[in-house]
Amino acid sequence: MVSTSQTLAELNARPVPDWYQDAKFGIFIHWGAFAIPGFAPRLGSIGEAFAKDYDRAVAMVPYTEWYANAIKVPGTPSAEFHRTHYRDAPYEDFKQPFEAGLDHWDPAAWAEAFRDAGARYVVLVTKHHDGLCLWPSQVANRHQDDWTTKRDIVGELAAAVRAAGLRFGVYYSGGIDWTFNRRPLRTLADFMGSTPGGDYPDYAMAQVRELIDRYEPSVLWNDISWPTRPGPLYRLFADYYRAVPEGVVNDRWVAASLQRDLLKIPLMRRFVDRKIKAAIAKQGSDVSKGIIPPEIPHSDFRTPEYAAFAEIQAKKWEATRGMSHSFGFNRNDDESDYESADTLLHDFIDAVSRNGNLLLNVGPRATDAAIPGEQLSRLKQFGTWLRANGDAIYGTRPWSRSDGETECGTAVRFTAAPGRLNLIFKGPVASDRLVVKDLTLSGSAVRLGDDSPVTLQQRGPDLEVTFVTSGTGPVGTAVAVATGG
């Protein structure tokens, strides 16, 4: 019989597949019944919500996809909104109008928009914390009747995405399901201790195996934690890799343990909350920097959320974020709530130079199954930039360093490919001549996008870069240097 430690060693010996290393850019999709109300409080980022109102922060986060829990906490903006607009109707009532909106859905149009944006893979939320399954699962939920969609949203999108030449992955909320645990959650300890027991571990395991068998996803993206002990989890990973040899799993599979079981005790949760509140108070302004999940015994990549690593990481990672403060559609978002395309692209360039990917979220509306215009416009700007500069992104690996700077203060990022080093100048290049500080480099060089020649000349420890022709993009200019290595 194979031991758990032996299985873990075999899992960790498996290299991350080249396709995922090369892809760099993926699309996340948060879509479900929560997009009907499309509402969340506006306290800034998720970190700011915890800093400003910790004692009910889980019901105050800007994530509209957490609406089903937020309306259970009296006095929250979501509860007041729900009373005013829906007269305290059960959350389950949103399923019917969500399914009615599918009459307008064009999965092929979505897939084409993602392809044209330069994405190489798509990850769909198949079941979020509200427990609604976006496929007609054959695994019965004994706690909530008729809680799957009649249409196979997962299957239809998978087919459209693959027809567009992209990889398809699935997200599953393994750690949280509010149909199995209906207790209102207010604090982080409440949240951490709410993973259901009883028949839920078998249910979650059966559903994830069903997703693997039916859709063969290239990405298996779990959220929050996992309800079984490590042994069954590692066997799941092994079976998944056999079924999908080039599949990858993320880092949010924190297995059940005695420590997590203790959080089911109210006194222990209060103790943990006091510790967390003290830590938040000590962090001060840093609380808005997002979430970096803890490392676990096996994963193919890490997933900082609304956060990023500032240095090159030995382990592959994937920054995940919405374009605004929410993943799910928020009816109150306008242009001012969205991060600019320039900032999103600059953060993407940073991630790639440091061994990361970007999983950028779209939150479609439910009533017409459309992606909001503010989000589509940013996807189009990604596509424009990547069509010109993609050779400095796709298929690259980190160089010996990620960061540089010109004499005039323009940030420079480096990526490498066989026989080539790429310099990406972040922001508009106002002059035909730049000097990159502390860089020694030689070789023939071209500006990507128009293949115009670029001359390089060493000036002591610095490198002078001269563009032979004028013209540059406002977001960033990439130069490819043939190093011959």
Side-chain angles (χ1 to χ4, degrees), residues 318-332:
E318 175 186 79
T320 181
R321 60 158 299 149
M323 298 187 201
S324 66
H325 287 311
S326 179
F327 286 93
F329 167 70
N330 188 333
R331 66 171 69 219
N332 293 317

Side-chain angles (χ1 to χ4, degrees), residues 80-120:
E80 296 301 323
F81 174 87
H82 191 65
R83 177 173 296 109
T84 300
H85 292 268
Y86 300 106
R87 299 182 179 180
D88 289 329
Y91 178 81
E92 292 74 23
D93 284 4
F94 294 131
K95 176 174 178 283
Q96 187 279 327
F98 171 70
E99 290 197 287
L102 293 174
D103 291 344
H104 305 281
W105 184 40
D106 185 350
W110 282 19
E112 290 168 8
F114 303 151
R115 179 199 61 205
D116 292 348
R120 296 293 174 88

Side-chain angles (χ1 to χ4, degrees), residues 181-255:
N181 186 346
R182 298 177 186 268
R183 173 170 54 86
L185 308 178
R186 293 173 172 83
T187 70
L188 189 55
D190 285 347
F191 192 73
M192 293 162 58
S194 68
T195 299
D199 57 348
Y200 179 69
D202 287 343
Y203 173 84
M205 182 67 80
Q207 283 209 318
V208 169
R209 288 186 176 277
E210 182 181 53
L211 288 168
I212 294 168
D213 291 343
R214 289 183 66 157
Y215 308 111
E216 298 183 345
S218 294
V219 183
L220 199 58
W221 213 105
N222 184 64
D223 204 5
I224 310 300
S225 61
W226 186 247
T228 76
R229 288 315 203 240
L233 174 61
Y234 299 158
R235 288 193 290 275
L236 172 65
F237 288 161
D239 291 344
Y240 168 60
Y241 291 143
R242 278 191 288 272
V244 186
E246 290 194 315
V248 291
V249 301
N250 71 329
D251 61 344
R252 301 190 182 196
W253 302 81
V254 179

